[in-house]
Amino acid sequence: MEAAPQQTVADGVKGSWVYRLPPAFWPFAQLARWERPIGWQLLMWPCWWAALLAAHSSQISTGQLVWFLALFAAGSIVMRGAGCTFNDLMDQDIDEKVARTRSRPLPSGRVSQSNARLFLLAQLVVGLIILLQFNWTSIALGTLSLLLVFTYPFMKRITWWPQLFLGLAFSWGALVGWSAVSGSIGIAALLLYAGSICWVIAYDTIYAMQDLEDDALVGVKSTARLFGENAPQALAALYGAAIVLFVFSFWLAGAFWPARVGLLLAGIHLAWQVLSLDRADPAKCLLLFKSNSRFGLLLFLGLLFSLMLSPAQ
């Protein structure tokens, strides 16, 4: 069943499973971006990478590791939805002025601020229930991540580097995933976190290129505007830094050759993104942005096969 035109979002996914829900739920599903899985996938990958990497040197059963991966997937869906809801609450004044976002539930008036806040609270409660399944170190780290989640929406108003703050928030799962398996944080986890931050800054710069003209008119700052014509070189540097940091993280954690193969293939994928970039083509920018989930999958598969070959397993 298709949504009625007035119920759709300009940058949403048409024909999504969301529109098989009762129509009253559509605006809330759109607030949480349930019809766009790319967001929660990108939030989930650092959690999954870290859990598998930490498992190389930790005594954890296969069943428990699978359970943790399932929890991270569920938590990513819930917390990505909460983050998007909070972001829309804070950005309603901006979204009303941008063509791609003015049809979202809040600026279009299909959801009130009070109902959006209740929906945000419900998602946070579910996220807390998921977080409480882990050890106390992970619970503390997960709680601290809320500071980053609730800070990010304001950064585009005060700094040219809001993508850095998104990177700090979206990569935090690398620390939570590592601590959930190992009970602590090591240098390899910090390197994985730093590499993920570089990766997020780069892919969100590509995403922000969709709104270059509107952002300039409204006064929204972004690395896409900051880098300008030098964007390909900046993206190459960020992606290159991510790969180097991942190499050292994998090495310190004792990952085996499949992890290096996965990283090589993932690096080739990032190079393709940079070479294919066209700042003047929003559709191409969106395609390149979404392709980063394949990058995450390549790293995950490399680490999975590496773990399977580990003598400890």
Side-chain angles (χ1 to χ4, degrees):
M1 180 172 61
E2 295 287 337
Q6 68 272 17
Q7 292 277 34
T8 60
V9 176
D11 60 345
V13 177
K14 307 302 185 291
S16 167
W17 67 270
V18 161
Y19 302 118
R20 291 194 290 272
L21 297 171
F25 289 98
W26 294 354
F28 296 99
Q30 291 164 350
L31 267 180
R33 313 289 197 272
W34 287 346
E35 86 282 18
R36 284 179 269 182
I38 182 63
W40 66 259
Q41 290 168 1
L42 294 176
L43 184 61
M44 175 190 73
W45 287 126
C47 303
W48 278 20
W49 301 337
L52 290 185
L53 200 53
H56 281 72
S57 57
S58 301
Q59 297 298 320
I60 182 173
S61 67
T62 299
Q64 188 176 27
L65 181 59
V66 171
W67 172 238
F68 282 173
L69 295 180
L71 288 174
F72 288 135
S76 296
I77 294 171
V78 172
M79 293 310 297
R80 186 274 188 123
C84 288
T85 302
F86 181 74
N87 190 76
D88 283 8
L89 280 164
M90 297 300 103
D91 283 355
Q92 183 173 344
D93 59 328
I94 294 175
D95 288 344
E96 291 170 346
K97 302 171 185 176
V98 176
R100 186 174 61 85
T101 58
R102 65 169 59 105
S103 58
R104 287 178 177 175
L106 279 165
S108 66
R110 289 182 290 119
V111 171
S112 66
Q113 285 260 337
S114 58
N115 284 339
R117 292 191 189 98
L118 288 174
F119 182 53
L120 170 62
L121 179 61
Q123 292 174 94
L124 291 175
V125 169
V126 174
L128 176 61
I129 293 172
I130 294 172
L131 184 61
L132 290 175
Q133 308 309 306
F134 298 108
N135 58 49
W136 285 109
T137 301
S138 298
I139 292 171
L141 286 168
T143 303
L144 283 174
S145 72
L146 293 177
L147 296 176
L148 296 170
V149 172
F150 293 145
T151 299
Y152 165 69
F154 305 102
M155 293 300 107
K156 63 175 70 71
R157 295 170 170 86
I158 62 177
T159 176
W160 287 100
W161 288 88
Q163 279 70 27
L164 169 60
F165 289 87
L166 182 70
L168 293 170
F170 254 58
S171 302
W172 197 258
L175 303 180
V176 178
W178 188 284
S179 66
V181 172
S182 70
S184 61
I185 295 296
I187 297 177
L190 294 174
L191 290 172
L192 187 70
Y193 178 56
S196 182
I197 291 171
C198 294
W199 174 57
V200 175
I201 295 172
Y203 75 57
D204 198 58
T205 297
I206 296 174
Y207 184 80
M209 288 177 184
Q210 297 177 91
D211 300 322
L212 282 172
E213 293 184 5
D214 284 335
D215 284 353
L217 290 172
V218 177
V220 169
K221 298 179 174 67
S222 72
T223 47
R225 292 184 61 203
L226 176 66
F227 296 156
E229 297 292 337
N230 296 318
Q233 295 91 324
L235 293 177
L238 286 163
Y239 278 153
I243 294 297
V244 170
L245 289 164
F246 289 151
V247 165
F248 282 106
S249 176
F250 288 11
W251 174 64
L252 286 175
F256 291 84
W257 64 265
R260 294 191 288 274
V261 172
L263 190 55
L264 174 62
L265 295 175
I268 293 172
H269 176 78
L270 295 183
W272 166 78
Q273 287 188 39
V274 175
L275 294 173
S276 303
L277 184 68
D278 183 354
R279 295 172 64 248
D281 186 348
K284 186 62 173 291
C285 291
L286 182 60
L287 182 148
L288 293 175
F289 162 74
K290 288 182 175 180
S291 76
N292 278 281
S293 192
R294 292 198 290 274
F295 171 86
L297 178 61
L298 288 169
L299 252 63
F300 172 77
L301 290 176
L303 288 168
L304 177 62
F305 284 109
S306 172
L307 183 62
M308 291 170 63
L309 292 176
S310 173
Q313 301 304 311

